C-alpha cells in the first residue's frame, strides 16, 4: 500500500489550492488535527500541513483566475523533463513547468487526455510527504475518468504503472487498481473509477485521507462548512468511506479501514 518508500510513478506530494488559506487551515485543523506551517515569505503563501511535525500535505492561496479550489496529487518522476515529453506524446498537456523549486526539487503540472490534472515531483532536498497511510494522512487515490483503458495506456506510458483488479462483492464487475510496475502489487496506491458510473462530468483525481471514525468526520466536515457529496458507506473487505468537499468546494474523501485480524 501507500508508503513513504517512494519509487517512480507513486504519489509523493499533495497540495490544496484554495481562495482562503486561513479558512482552510481552520477547517482541516478541526477535521484532521493538522497545523499549517508557512514555507516563508518568498513562497507566496505556500505552506505545509503537518501532524506531529510531519508533513501530510501542503496548501496555497488561489487567485480567482487560477482555477477552482482543488486538491492536486503529484507523482514521483526521476526526470521531469522526460515526463513532460511523455505527457505530450501521449496526448496530454503541460499546464505549468517544468521548473525548479529552489533546491527542494523540480515540478510540473499536467492534464491527461481526458482533462484530469495531476502533478509530478522530482525530489531533491524535499523527498516528499513525511506521513502517509496513517490517521489524518493520505492513504489512497482515485482517478475518475471517462475511459479507463485510455487512461491506463496514458499513465502506463508516462509513469510506468502496473495494474491489478479486485472483483466487487456483489459480482457487478471489478475495480482496477494501480501501482508502480517496478514495485509490484504490494505498492498499490490507487484505483480507477468510470466517470459515467458516478454521474459526474469532470475527470479528476481524488485523494483519500485515513480517519478513525468516518461518520464523526463527516459530521465535523459539515459543521465546519463542508459538505458530503456521497454519504458514508461500507465496502466489504475495505472499510467505510465518504466523499466530501471543504468550505471552498475542494473535493476529497475519507476512509475508515476495516480492523485487520491479528
Amino acid at each position: 500500500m501507500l508508503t513513504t518508500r517512494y519509487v517512480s510513478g507513486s504519489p509523493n506530494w499533495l497540495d490544496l489550492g484554495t481562495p482562503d488559506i486561513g479558512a482552510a487551515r481552520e477547517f482541516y485543523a478541526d477535521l484532521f488535527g493538522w497545523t499549517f506551517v508557512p514555507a516563508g515569505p518568498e513562497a507566496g503563501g505556500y505552506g505545509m500541513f503537518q501532524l506531529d511535525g510531519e508533513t501530510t500535505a501542503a496548501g496555497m492561496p488561489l487567485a480567482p483566475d487560477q482555477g477552482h479550489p482543488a486538491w492536486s496529487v503529484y507523482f514521483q518522476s526521476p526526470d521531469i523533463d522526460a515526463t513532460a515529453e511523455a505527457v505530450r506524446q501521449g496526448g496530454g498537456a503541460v499546464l505549468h513547468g517544468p521548473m525548479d523549486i529552489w533546491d527542494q526539487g523540480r515540478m510540473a503540472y499536467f492534464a491527461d487526455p481526458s482533462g484530469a490534472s495531476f502533478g509530478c515531483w522530482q525530489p531533491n532536498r524535499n523527498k516528499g510527504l513525511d506521513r502517509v497511510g496513517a490517521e489524518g494522512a493520505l492513504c489512497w487515490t482515485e482517478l475518475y475518468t471517462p475511459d479507463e483503458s485510455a487512461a491506463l495506456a496514458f499513465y502506463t506510458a508516462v509513469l510506468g504503472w502496473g495494474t491489478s483488479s479486485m472483483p466487487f462483492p456483489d459480482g457487478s464487475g471489478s475495480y482496477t487498481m494501480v501501482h508502480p510496475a517496478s514495485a509490484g502489487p504490494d505498492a498499490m496506491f490507487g484505483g480507477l473509477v468510470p466517470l459515467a458510473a458516478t454521474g459526474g462530468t469532470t475527470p479528476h483525481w481524488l485523494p483519500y485521507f485515513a480517519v478513525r471514525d468516518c461518520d464523526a468526520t463527516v459530521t465535523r466536515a459539515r459543521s465546519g462548512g463542508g459538505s458530503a457529496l456521497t454519504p458514508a458507506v461500507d465496502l466489504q473487505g475495505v472499510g467505510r468511506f465518504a466523499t466530501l468537499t471543504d468550505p471552498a468546494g475542494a473535493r476529497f474523501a475519507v476512509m475508515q479501514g476495516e480492523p485487520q485480524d491479528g
Side-chain angles (χ1 to χ4, degrees):
M1 301 298 286
L2 191 62
T3 74
T4 54
R5 296 188 299 274
Y6 295 119
V7 296
S8 294
S10 66
N12 68 344
W13 196 251
L14 179 75
D15 62 23
L16 170 70
T18 182
D20 189 338
I21 194 67
R25 174 162 60 184
E26 293 181 8
F27 175 79
Y28 289 103
D30 181 63
L31 201 66
F32 298 136
W34 291 350
T35 57
F36 185 75
V37 180
E42 71 281 3
Y46 199 91
M48 315 305 164
F49 291 111
Q50 296 186 337
L51 273 174
D52 304 322
E54 294 183 324
T55 297
T56 55
M60 59 183 171
L62 189 71
D65 61 351
Q66 292 179 308
H68 59 81
W71 280 101
S72 298
V73 179
Y74 294 73
F75 301 91
Q76 181 161 307
S77 168
D79 183 339
I80 210 156
D81 295 273
T83 300
E85 182 57 28
V87 167
R88 294 187 188 99
Q89 292 293 324
V94 178
L95 304 178
H96 188 64
M99 62 181 293
D100 292 320
I101 307 299
W102 302 290
D103 60 351
Q104 299 299 299
R106 191 162 170 79
M107 66 81 64
Y109 203 61
F110 307 115
D112 70 20
S114 77
S117 57
F118 66 100
C120 281
W121 178 253
Q122 180 181 336
N124 190 11
R125 289 190 62 187
N126 186 336
K127 304 305 180 186
L129 300 175
D130 297 321
R131 182 184 294 194
V132 297
E135 185 178 340
L138 181 70
C139 65
W140 192 249
T141 63
E142 279 184 333
L143 173 63
Y144 288 72
T145 179
D147 189 332
E148 287 184 88
S149 296
L152 283 173
F154 172 81
Y155 287 101
T156 296
V158 170
L159 296 174
W161 286 355
T163 65
S164 58
S165 63
M166 178 180 70
F168 292 128
D170 62 5
S172 61
S174 61
Y175 180 59
T176 301
M177 298 175 290
V178 294
H179 58 83
S182 62
D186 286 346
M188 287 184 302
F189 60 77
L192 273 63
V193 178
L195 194 60
T198 69
T201 59
T202 306
H204 64 279
W205 279 95
L206 183 73
Y208 279 70
F209 299 99
V211 296
R212 184 189 303 264
D213 186 325
C214 182
D215 295 87
T217 303
V218 172
T219 298
R220 285 201 307 276
R222 284 175 168 153
S223 66
S227 62
L229 295 178
T230 61
V233 295
D234 293 311
L235 181 61
Q236 182 180 343
V238 177
R240 188 165 176 81
F241 65 94
T243 307
L244 308 172
T245 68
D246 67 17
R251 292 174 292 202
F252 64 100
V254 293
M255 168 70 74
Q256 174 189 340
E258 285 192 351
Q260 300 298 308
D261 294 337

